[in-house]
DNA sequence: CTGGTGCCTGACAACGATGTCATGCATCAT
DNA sequence: ATGATGCATGACATCGTTGTCAGGCACCAG
């Protein structure tokens, strides 16, 4: 019987109410509803209240996707964030700092993990782009980021974090890896060490290479022959690092100090030192801080990064680009901090 | 002169190419482009190749938001995830497990932190809803989640994690808090302890209350008068936990075993024990596992939760709901695991 | 009373895509 | 030759919203 009568009564249906439903209930045009929902001027207070009432009654909510389809500038108020892994504490800190800066502006964050997989990097970026994000914050892992050049030249805001991109000129926020590693070396040398060893991550990771470079160069500056310095690389997990450290420490001329380029490697070295009973004899400085480092015995001296600063800076750059900053791309370098806790202050046994 | 001629040449403009651009370049209708982009049948191979070529030349990418506006079911292939904090390792693990299950289906994840703020919970849920997510995974913190009833009754897939929702019947995936805490108590009692203490988080947190209940009830079952058991609550950070523990241990009749209900509390207790030099005298079992727990001296015995299982289960439920499972809401309980590392196996000093 | 000035308001097209449906063409059986 | 069949294709309406623009009404000055 009633063909049209209840067409706009979403309470009965399972469908979300739209502006038309609200407009019908309030007895106004949909454009007026749009004006009220967007706090635009030009609506009488009486009408405003009626619309607000109807919208609450129907539990109406603006569809941002539909809106941004038509709206000038087409912003979706969402950005894509690509991290090594969302379960990595370092990434988590960056994520959090970014989020804080962006939610203040009503921007939501798509987060995804790339697991050192270059293919995944491209696929996830494509997934973000398909969702029309207003910007990207990426930890690059693929050999080149030139695949995003088309988007970048269309002025899609884009900031790379932790590692600098290759094949594209874009903003980046990175840790001062080389300087941090050099500081670790200098710290150990100043404590009398001459037999230092470097234990590092896979060499295809830019930051790992930078850390090695900084460490080795500092040894060179101190006059230590760098060609004989033990360098063990390709360590990507705790166990391989532990083995490498045990091997090194059991050699005939073991190092008196170790620098580990990354958390998991540091953990592996700590295990090796404990296993061999030399935690208080062999010095250790690790790159990157970690929870409970001060509770170890001895406390672990580290070169601390500042993920929250990286996140905050990246968010700032991204927002500036979103707001129309067209200045030349820049790389921002966040300094590290050496935190003394004991393990790095051990002196070489005579 | 040429008014329309270069209207569809996005290479020259800063605008994203649309289907019309691709269609114009390939010399076909936009519906054909749509068919090709969506792998729909009914397109000759020759046409297909031509469209694919044009789309690659223009670097075209489907606009999912526009598509889902019209598409049946209106799926956006994105979900909202609300966590205590994205920088919290426990949350990170859940996030990661969820992501893995969802990206396999092409679903992207909006992640946000709520920082124990009930207002933020509502605001963030609203932000997700405005973006037309296909589902929600929420860690409830507000007193009641009845505010999402409208969405829930519109069949928006929704799974609560870590804590059960209040004021709404919906799927939930939680840790077996009471049983885990009881197991900790039983473990300590079996080692001869009769003077146990409980150090816990804020009592407005459901999981904290459950853990206390489980712990205390187990003491009761063992015949220990529960009214005199020291219970210190409202500890939300390391420092307050440390102070509480020092105070407790310095009292005239100190406990011989401590159960801490949460990581930060465990850390605080560890500090207190170390400070007072009783790490090897007072037993400790902490709820929730943490990195390097086995590297402490002694290793810290914990009731481990399984965040990855929670995430995986939650993802499974969400996908099932998205796929049209209309069965009654259920609460899934993930069991805990006691991991012996030393601190929980210490016996009371005679 | 008339014309001008604002303020509210809604009709309509458009955003970029997909669902529906009609059309054209080649192929095939009769 | 004729009608039926099936495939490939595109015109058009539509999704929920916003930009544009024109119309209506009240109010004021002359």
């Amino acid at each position: 019987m009633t063909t049209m009568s209840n067409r706009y009564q979403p309470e009965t249906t399972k469908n979300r109410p739209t502006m038309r439903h609200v407009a019908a209930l309030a007895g106004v045009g949909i454009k007026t509803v749009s004006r009220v929902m967007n706090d635009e001027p030009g609506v009488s207070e009486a009408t405003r209240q009626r619309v607000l009432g109807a919208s609450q009654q129907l539990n109406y909510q603006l569809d941002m996707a539909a809106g941004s389809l038509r709206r000038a500038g087409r912003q979706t108020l969402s950005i894509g964030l690509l991290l090594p892994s969302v379960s990595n504490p370092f990434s988590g800190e960056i994520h959090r700092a970014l989020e804080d800066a962006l939610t203040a502006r009503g921007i939501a964050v798509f987060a995804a993990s790339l697991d050192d997989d270059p293919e995944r990097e491209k696929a996830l970026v494509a997934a973000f782009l398909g969702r029309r994000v207003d910007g990207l914050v990426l930890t690059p892992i693929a050999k080149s980021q030139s695949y995003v050049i088309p988007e970048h030249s269309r002025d899609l805001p884009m900031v790379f974090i932790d590692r600098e991109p290759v094949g594209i000129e874009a903003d980046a926020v990175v840790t001062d890896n080389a300087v941090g590693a050099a500081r670790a070396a200098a710290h150990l040398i100043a404590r009398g060490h001459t037999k230092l060893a470097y234990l590092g991550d896979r060499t295809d990771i830019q930051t790992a290479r930078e850390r090695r470079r900084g460490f080795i160069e500092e040894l060179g500056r101190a006059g230590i022959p760098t060609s004989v310095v033990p360098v063990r690389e390709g360590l990507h997990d705790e166990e391989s690092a532990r083995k490498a450290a045990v091997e090194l420490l059991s050699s005939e001329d073991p190092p008196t100090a170790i620098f580990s380029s990354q958390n998991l490697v540091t953990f592996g070295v700590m295990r090796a030192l404990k296993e061999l009973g030399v935690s208080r004899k062999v010095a250790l400085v690790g790159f990157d801080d970690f929870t409970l480092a001060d509770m170890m015995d001895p406390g672990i001296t580290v070169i601390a990064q500042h993920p929250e600063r990286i996140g905050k800076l990246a968010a700032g750059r991204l927002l500036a680009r979103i707001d129309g900053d067209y200045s030349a791309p820049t790389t921002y370098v966040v300094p590290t901090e050496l935190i003394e806790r004991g393990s790095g202050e051990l002196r070489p046994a005579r």
Side-chain angles (χ1 to χ4, degrees), chain A:
Chain A
M1 324 309 164
T2 55
T3 36
M4 300 282 293
S5 70
N6 59 353
R7 189 152 163 222
Y8 295 134
Q9 297 191 2
E11 312 84 297
T12 14
T13 80
K14 291 258 176 174
N15 292 326
R16 271 181 99 110
T18 73
M19 274 196 181
R20 275 214 299 283
H21 300 118
V22 177
L25 182 59
V28 299
I30 71 167
K31 179 66 215 200
T32 298
V33 178
S34 170
R35 274 191 269 259
V36 173
M37 301 316 286
N38 291 286
D39 271 320
E40 282 173 34
V43 181
S44 71
E45 191 51 30
T47 311
R48 224 181 92 77
Q49 289 306 330
R50 212 144 32 92
V51 170
L52 248 28
S55 109
Q56 276 172 24
Q57 187 181 326
L58 297 180
N59 206 262
Y60 170 76
Q61 211 169 10
L62 204 58
D63 185 328
M64 290 185 50
S68 60
L69 193 57
R70 186 69 171 87
R71 200 195 325 272
R74 323 189 76 301
Q75 301 221 335
T76 55
L77 290 183
S78 58
I79 66 120
L81 170 63
L82 218 50
L83 298 167
S85 173
V86 294
S87 65
N88 171 329
F90 180 73
S91 297
E93 293 290 341
I94 293 180
H95 186 171
R96 185 55 209 266
L98 256 166
E99 185 197 336
D100 286 343
L102 297 176
T103 45
R105 285 267 299 252
I107 297 176
V109 180
F110 277 118
S113 311
L114 44 78
D115 263 343
D116 292 338
D117 180 348
E119 285 314 307
R120 221 170 129 141
E121 175 182 334
K122 289 176 201 174
L124 291 170
V125 166
F128 289 154
L129 294 176
R131 289 175 176 81
R132 289 294 182 274
V133 293
D134 295 341
L136 291 172
V137 177
L138 312 173
T139 312
I141 169 69
K143 288 212 185 69
S144 161
Q145 279 62 48
S146 55
Y147 65 95
V148 280
I149 288 182
E151 310 301 330
H152 192 252
S153 31
R154 275 186 210 118
D155 291 333
L156 180 74
M158 203 176 284
V159 179
F160 290 87
I161 52 174
D162 196 40
R163 305 164 196 165
E164 287 184 71
V166 176
I168 184 174
E169 292 250 338
D171 287 327
V173 179
V174 301
T175 289
D176 200 347
N177 292 294
V179 168
R183 185 173 306 159
H187 188 76
L188 292 167
I189 292 167
R191 262 99 200 138
H193 293 279
T194 53
K195 292 193 286 185
L196 314 188
Y198 171 94
L199 269 73
D201 204 334
R202 292 184 352 210
T203 52
D204 57 337
I205 297 178
Q206 194 194 87
T207 53
R209 289 197 305 272
E210 283 294 293
R211 290 170 197 173
R212 183 192 55 187
R213 185 174 65 77
F215 182 79
I216 299 292
E217 283 181 5
E218 183 66 24
L219 297 196
R221 274 192 289 277
I224 295 176
T226 57
S227 58
V228 299
V229 172
V231 168
R232 291 282 184 285
E233 296 186 284
L235 311 172
H236 207 57
D237 58 44
E238 225 170 294
E239 182 51 17
S240 58
R242 188 192 61 80
K243 275 190 197 149
V246 167
E247 216 175 284
L248 215 57
L249 293 166
S250 317
S251 66
E252 57 184 57
D253 187 25
T256 60
I258 294 179
F259 170 65
S260 59
S261 86
Q262 187 247 77
N263 262 342
L264 295 181
V265 177
T266 305
F267 296 166
V269 174
M270 283 161 51
R271 280 184 203 286
L273 294 175
K274 193 175 179 186
E275 203 176 312
L276 302 175
V278 292
S279 298
R280 298 201 152 278
K281 296 205 176 105
V282 176
L284 169 63
V285 175
F287 203 102
D288 200 3
D289 199 7
F290 57 93
T291 310
L292 298 179
D294 62 322
M295 285 288 282
M296 306 312 297
D297 185 36
I300 305 297
T301 295
V302 299
I303 303 296
Q305 302 189 73
H306 291 291
E308 69 299 335
R309 275 197 229 166
I310 294 179
K312 197 175 170 187
L313 241 173
R317 285 316 303 156
L318 196 72
L319 288 175
R321 294 291 180 191
I322 287 176
D323 292 338
D325 175 350
Y326 292 122
S327 57
T330 315
T331 293
Y332 297 81
V333 178
V334 177
T336 56
E337 182 186 352
L338 189 147
I339 303 180
E340 300 190 8
R341 294 207 179 97
S343 74
E345 291 70 45
L346 297 172
R347 295 183 174 268
R350 269 152 304 133

